Amino acid sequence: MIEQPKFKFYFLHPKFWLTWLGVLILYTVSWLPYRMQLAMGRGLGLLFKKVMPRRVNIARTNLKLCFPEYSDDSIEELVTENMKNTGIAYFEVGMAWWWPDWRIRRKLHIHGEENLRKAQEDGSGVLLLLFHFLSLEVHARLHGFIEPAVGLYRPHNNAVMEFLQTRGRARSNKYMIQRKDVKGMLKALSQGDIAGYLPDQDYGRRRTEFVKFFEVPDASTTTGTMLFANAPNCKVLVSRCVRRKDGTGYDLYYEPELQNFPSGDDKADARYVNTLVEEAVKKAPEQYLWVHRRFKTRPDPDMPSYYQ
């Protein structure tokens, strides 16, 4: 378990001054009107498209692999919209970490809360499957208003950002768990907690099955989902958070409890998890994190990279 971090005078070292300047700018901008921040985010995203060609090309490659039926023009349009949403996500960090409760609550539109409550009726822990939509920081903050949860966590290399993001992500939730702390995650579930887990990135070869994801036949897919889902008295639900296109906030969804999951067949279960991700992504593909190299790990290390 990650304890709530405390401020250290070390954070004022000159090597962190640039970090603090960026944080100060983001904090100041976070108090601007919401729609203004959305517009600024879209502009920032268009700038990203010009100055971050490597990331843009990763997004383009992922979209071509996942949607081969799309024309080049359609792919390019989706890349542009995705970069706009990526820009917005930077401003959403400030909203999620620093907005007061009254302000961010007004942006929350809940769907399916009864599914979550039903899963908790007998005191079971809930493994909440979350996916890498660009509003993920807001998702964590908003979920805490429904019921505080715990989440897996990867430490930041920058000590100041580590301090800020740990405090920000735990602002309306319980605590964070180091992502390799399997025992800590299982303990939280056994105690009846809600624990968030993200199964939709390429985590390498350890605890992995290579199964279909969209039209890619051999995507490295973690079996960690099944490891945690097998915890005693654990229920599994999907939750997703999507930014409303009309600028009125966020739709937070809780889907019905997964049935007969896990089945005991890791390969089949991994493929099933990928179908859940696919269904969610298709509802708002422009808001998904396409700049991640989702298909970087190939079944055979000698196979050519999709990202050459």
Side-chain angles (χ1 to χ4, degrees):
M1 184 174 81
I2 305 297
E3 299 293 339
Q4 188 78 335
K6 296 179 180 179
F7 183 84
K8 301 176 182 177
F9 284 107
Y10 167 67
F11 297 157
L12 300 179
H13 190 282
K15 72 177 181 180
F16 296 124
W17 286 359
L18 258 177
T19 300
W20 281 116
L21 176 61
V23 168
L24 177 61
I25 292 171
L26 182 60
Y27 177 79
T28 303
V29 169
S30 74
W31 288 97
L32 293 175
Y34 177 65
R35 290 178 186 272
M36 184 180 294
Q37 292 189 62
L38 295 183
M40 292 171 66
R42 286 189 284 268
L44 181 62
L46 292 175
L47 178 62
F48 287 162
K49 191 178 181 187
K50 291 183 179 296
V51 303
M52 300 173 64
R54 178 175 174 271
R55 285 294 172 183
V56 172
N57 191 55
I58 289 171
R60 186 180 293 117
T61 300
N62 284 335
L63 288 165
K64 285 182 176 181
L65 289 168
C66 292
F67 303 106
E69 71 277 14
Y70 284 17
S71 68
D72 287 346
D73 286 345
S74 296
I75 290 291
E76 204 58 33
E77 181 180 347
L78 190 49
V79 168
T80 299
E81 290 304 308
N82 185 240
M83 295 312 295
K84 289 180 182 178
N85 280 276
T86 301
I88 291 172
Y90 276 79
F91 292 98
E92 287 176 334
V93 171
M95 301 174 198
W97 291 2
W98 298 312
W99 271 15
D101 290 353
W102 63 264
R103 188 178 184 191
I104 199 165
R105 273 182 182 272
R106 295 191 304 183
K107 303 300 181 186
L108 173 58
H109 305 272
I110 309 170
H111 309 270
E113 183 181 353
E114 67 278 4
N115 294 320
L116 177 63
R117 299 308 180 195
K118 183 178 179 182
Q120 294 179 298
E121 282 179 347
D122 61 358
S124 294
V126 175
L127 182 67
L128 208 59
L129 299 186
L130 316 173
F131 307 138
H132 280 89
F133 283 91
L134 292 164
S135 53
L136 188 59
E137 294 286 348
V138 171
H139 189 170
R141 177 76 188 277
L142 292 177
H143 170 78
F145 295 130
I146 311 303
E147 185 161 336
V150 303
L152 286 182
Y153 162 83
R154 182 176 66 181
H156 201 287
N157 294 330
N158 182 303
V160 170
M161 290 306 299
E162 162 77 358
F163 166 73
L164 292 170
Q165 79 172 10
T166 304
R167 290 181 66 89
R169 290 177 178 176
R171 180 160 180 176
S172 64
N173 286 289
K174 285 191 172 182
Y175 57 88
M176 310 297 290
I177 301 172
Q178 292 248 11
R179 64 174 182 167
K180 295 182 179 180
D181 185 2
V182 173
K183 290 182 179 178
M185 187 75 160
L186 292 173
K187 181 180 179 181
L189 290 168
S190 70
Q191 292 174 339
D193 280 327
I194 300 173
Y197 184 69
L198 293 141
D200 61 327
Q201 288 198 336
D202 185 331
Y203 296 120
R205 299 183 179 281
R206 191 164 180 261
R207 294 196 182 116
T208 289
E209 292 286 351
F210 290 92
V211 295
K212 188 172 183 285
F213 181 58
F214 282 102
E215 297 307 311
V216 177
D218 54 5
S220 173
T221 304
T222 181
T223 58
T225 314
M226 287 66 82
L227 172 66
F228 296 128
N230 269 316
N233 302 315
C234 176
K235 308 288 181 65
V236 186
L237 275 70
V238 168
S239 178
R240 56 191 175 89
C241 181
V242 181
R243 186 186 309 114
R244 288 189 163 191
K245 295 181 181 180
D246 63 2
T248 58
Y250 303 86
D251 288 306
L252 179 58
Y253 295 90
Y254 296 95
E255 306 294 348
E257 177 191 345
L258 302 187
Q259 300 298 317
N260 303 314
F261 179 85
S263 68
D265 182 337
D266 278 357
K267 186 172 284 290
D269 289 338
R271 172 58 191 143
Y272 176 55
V273 170
N274 281 352
T275 66
L276 297 175
V277 181
E278 292 168 15
E279 290 169 4
V281 169
K282 287 176 181 177
K283 293 179 171 68
E286 75 284 356
Q287 294 188 38
Y288 191 64
L289 184 68
W290 292 110
V291 297
H292 167 70
R293 290 192 301 156
R294 177 63 184 86
F295 310 110
K296 65 184 176 183
T297 304
R298 305 300 308 276
D300 183 340
D302 294 328
M303 297 173 75
S305 169
Y306 284 118
Y307 302 100
Q308 288 178 342

